[in-house]
Amino acid sequence: MKKTHFLLSFLALGLINSCQNNDEMVDQSPGQLEIHSKTVNVTTHDGRPFSTGSGNSVNGKFVSGPGGGVLMQGFYWDVPDGGNWWDTVKGKVTDWSNAGIGAIWLPPASKAQNGAYSMGYDPTDYYDFGNFNQNGSVETRFGSRTELEALITKAHTENMQVYADIVINHNSGGQSQANPFTGTNTWTDFSGVASGKFPRSYNDFYKNSYGNNDEGAFGGFPDLCHANPYVQDWLWGRDDSVAKYYKNVMKFDGWRFDYVKGFGPWVVNTWNANVGGFSVGELWDSNVNTLEWWANNANSSVFDFAAYYKMDEAFDNGNLNALNDDMMWKRNPYKAVTFVSNHDTDIINNKMLAYAYILTHEGYPTIFYRDYEEWLNKERLNNLIWIHNNKATGNTSILYTDNDEYIARRNGYNGNPGLVVYINNSSSWQERWIQTNWASQQIKDFTGSSNWYPTTQGDKWVKIQCAPNSYSVWSLNQ
């Protein structure tokens, strides 16, 4: 949901492991630096999508493997109107697949109050994908139903998944009707939706016979009442419910739930139990306890806002020690979707360091469309995606932090060697001795920033380096 203004109009869940942060001293080898190590005991998941990287994909299609998947947010706020967006994204799907991106998150796809100008967060008719003439247009801002279906088909051809942005907290665009629960007229008459599916009236919104309110309302819009069995039936119960229609007819593979602060986590849990598919909730809260509570009760992934705000503190405010703090991915990487920016919020300025962080660490990393296609260096992002998909395996040990430097080790999994990431937020080259998991083996920087090819000592120690205001990622030279 757009939080600053609003237009009116892995993928498989694994076992949940608790995390323990253990501070330990690494034995100091002769002539080497003493390094404090914090190990985050979380289990690596090897079932999320993975790509061999650009130039190594199989028949140009996304290929799964050990490193995990990468999600593309396939839109930004106020993408061009005119009904061309679905075709725009469709034209990029093959390149994204080749880069190692395994899933696309699309904006709300159904007709909203502002018709051809709406970003979709003011939904009117959940079954109008740009094929009914209502709210002033046939097509949505993004295009027609035919174009949307062609985009989803194209993504599936590339072995990619497509996630629907679902807005079920509130509705907009209803007609005025007398409401006995308020004693006034309310805009809650959705009996005339063009699709004829999920007609609604005042008793389907708070306040009503089920109560005065739920967890939260948004923007003064009619607040959908999930306690009403009729609403539940249309959202996920019926064979032609919103959830089942999106999955079985439109062929969406998963869900991004908007503004989940507005209703209980049981709603998402029940949706998932009835329909399945990947799901992630937008719980805008930096408190990791709140994020974990919601994810567990919703049986869903959640956006890691705790990591988001810590990255801003680290990379923009010169305090890389903030990366020692707790985050959702440290609690449960299976349920943490990490991100650097999105359509709602964009506060991190030093974005390449932030992407180097999320694409080398646990969790399910998201890339923002404008960062990838417009604002940042696509070649460098593709390199990080390749590193993520090929090398980012195993649990995480934080090897060193200070205000300007951060070094962490992914410990490898099931024969994959893992990696060491070195992030340097200072204005000069830095070097440090660190302990790897590799004895007497040559390593290299897979970003190409450093031309060193050091060999680890028998005790697994080695000196690595990092360029100013940059990052390097080290692994076995193989």
Side-chain angles (χ1 to χ4, degrees), residues 36-57:
H36 297 271
S37 172
K38 177 179 285 185
T39 299
V40 183
N41 294 318
V42 286
T43 305
T44 298
H45 177 45
D46 66 338
R48 294 190 299 261
F50 160 81
S51 170
T52 53
S54 181
N56 295 316
S57 57

Side-chain angles (χ1 to χ4, degrees), residues 108 148 156 171 251 322 326 354 391 412 422 445:
L148 171 60
H156 288 162
N171 291 166
K251 304 300 183 183
D326 206 359
K391 303 294 183 181
Y422 191 164
D445 171 20

Side-chain angles (χ1 to χ4, degrees), residues 53-68:
S54 181
N56 295 316
S57 57
V58 178
N59 297 323
K61 298 182 188 301
F62 179 82
V63 180
S64 62

Side-chain angles (χ1 to χ4, degrees), residues 319-361:
N319 179 24
L320 267 62
N321 285 309
L323 300 178
N324 289 317
D325 293 343
D326 206 359
M327 306 174 193
M328 183 61 194
W329 72 260
K330 297 181 183 183
R331 298 282 186 96
N332 189 341
Y334 302 125
K335 292 185 176 180
V337 177
T338 53
F339 67 102
V340 173
S341 59
N342 63 31
H343 65 294
D344 278 336
T345 181
D346 192 7
I347 63 173
I348 297 174
N349 294 315
N350 208 341
K351 287 186 175 181
M352 284 306 306
L353 298 192
Y355 276 113
Y357 181 81
I358 70 169
L359 286 163
T360 54
H361 284 67

Side-chain angles (χ1 to χ4, degrees), residues 169 213-218 223 259 261-263:
N169 175 73
N213 59 274
D214 59 0
E215 282 77 0
F218 183 84
D223 188 24
Y259 190 61
K261 281 188 174 183
F263 46 90

